């Protein structure tokens, strides 16, 4: 069974524009790591567009699929925030915040028109973004006698693992980062060494 342990994020803010029957939809995409950053960017966009009718948005944070939000900001329910979020989901984007600012052009677009507009403005903003592929990682703590350092380092080099921290008291303690799809294999190889404790 293959484990999906990769996702994409964006490396820098980007923007795009979509127009439909006089209405303008300005899309802004930002890389974010927490809800504080989301609030700051939202305030910034509201200051840039104080006369806009709607500032609709969506974001996904973290790697566990539990931290996301979609906001219609006064548009009909499900016509703005959800289409933005659906683009993030379809592109497997995480740690990304997208806000779409709408200036009303005098013609009602109806719910299907709004869904298309918010979706397209999001896609336009993301089309300008540089995507970065990231891996979902777990940490393992290995403790062992210094005499066995070579055996442990061989496994670390073989899988190109990242050492987060190392500590030496009576035992050598290494904390390493392992991508999800390699976790069982690395854990198995380390446990075969017998003299290494895995935490």
């Amino acid at each position: 069974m293959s484990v999906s342990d990769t996702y994409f994020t964006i490396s820098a803010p980007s923007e795009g524009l979509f127009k439909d029957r006089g209405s303008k939809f300005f899309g802004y995409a930002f890389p974010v790591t927490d809800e504080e950053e989301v609030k700051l960017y939202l305030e910034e966009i509201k200051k840039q567009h104080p006369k806009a009718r709607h500032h609709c948005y969506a974001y996904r944070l973290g790697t566990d699929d539990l931290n996301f939000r979609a906001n219609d900001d006064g548009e009909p329910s499900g016509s703005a925030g959800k289409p933005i979020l659906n683009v993030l989901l379809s592109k497997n984007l995480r740690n990304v915040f997208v806000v779409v600012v709408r200036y009303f052009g005098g013609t009602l677009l109806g719910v299907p028109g709004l869904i298309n507009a918010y979706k397209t403005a999001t896609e336009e903003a993301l089309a300008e973004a540089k995507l970065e592929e990231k891996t979902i990682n777990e940490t393992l703590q290995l403790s062992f006698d210094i005499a066995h350092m070579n055996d442990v380092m061989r496994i670390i080099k073989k899988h190109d693992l990242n050492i987060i921290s190392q500590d030496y008291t009576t035992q050598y303690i290494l904390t390493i980062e392992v991508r999800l799809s390699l976790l069982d294999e690395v854990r198995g190889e380390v446990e075969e060494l017998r003299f290494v404790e895995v935490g």
Side-chain angles (χ1 to χ4, degrees):
M1 183 192 85
S2 73
V3 178
S4 174
D5 65 354
T6 58
Y7 66 93
F8 292 92
T9 189
I10 59 176
S11 54
S14 61
E15 52 191 80
L17 171 65
F18 176 70
K19 297 176 187 173
D20 188 2
R21 288 167 276 178
S23 280
K24 288 181 182 171
F25 297 83
F26 293 89
Y28 298 90
F30 300 96
V32 288
T33 53
D34 58 38
E35 285 170 32
E36 277 310 304
E37 284 183 279
V38 168
K39 283 179 196 157
L40 289 172
Y41 283 128
L42 186 59
E43 281 167 25
E44 197 180 294
I45 295 300
K46 284 182 173 176
K47 279 180 197 155
Q48 275 181 42
H49 297 277
K51 293 192 167 81
R53 282 214 169 178
H54 306 281
H55 305 84
C56 306
Y57 64 86
Y59 62 79
R60 289 179 82 200
L61 295 173
T63 56
D64 59 8
D65 292 332
L66 300 174
N67 199 349
F68 63 90
R69 182 144 183 238
N71 188 310
D72 295 316
D73 193 34
E75 291 282 34
S77 179
S79 68
K82 196 154 184 237
I84 298 170
L85 181 63
N86 284 341
V87 174
L88 298 180
L89 291 165
S90 71
K91 294 182 180 295
N92 194 16
L93 284 165
R94 297 170 187 271
N95 297 329
V96 175
F97 169 57
V98 175
V99 57
V100 177
V101 177
R102 180 190 183 188
Y103 286 91
F104 185 55
T107 304
L108 291 170
L109 303 181
V111 169
L114 289 173
I115 289 171
N116 179 59
Y118 282 102
K119 173 181 170 243
T120 308
T122 302
E123 286 171 342
E124 290 295 323
L126 292 169
E128 298 304 311
K130 185 171 183 290
L131 296 185
E132 277 182 18
E133 189 173 19
K134 302 267 190 181
T135 57
I136 300 172
N137 303 314
E138 292 275 339
T139 55
L140 288 180
Q141 194 176 65
L142 313 179
S143 52
F144 52 92
D145 193 280
I146 192 81
H148 302 296
M149 181 61 119
N150 285 345
D151 296 306
V152 174
M153 289 310 290
R154 199 182 66 247
I155 294 172
I156 288 170
K157 284 195 174 84
K158 176 185 169 185
H159 296 288
D160 195 22
L161 304 176
N162 188 22
I163 297 172
I164 299 169
S165 69
Q166 36 194 327
D167 192 20
Y168 184 67
T169 48
T170 51
Q171 287 273 79
Y172 210 87
I173 299 169
L174 276 187
T175 305
I176 57 171
E177 201 171 42
V178 184
R179 61 185 288 178
L180 221 51
S181 58
L182 286 175
L183 193 60
D184 289 344
E185 187 180 341
V186 170
R187 188 186 281 277
E189 286 180 26
V190 170
E191 283 170 353
E192 272 176 30
L193 296 175
R194 305 220 180 279
F195 47 77
V196 179
E197 275 182 51
V198 184

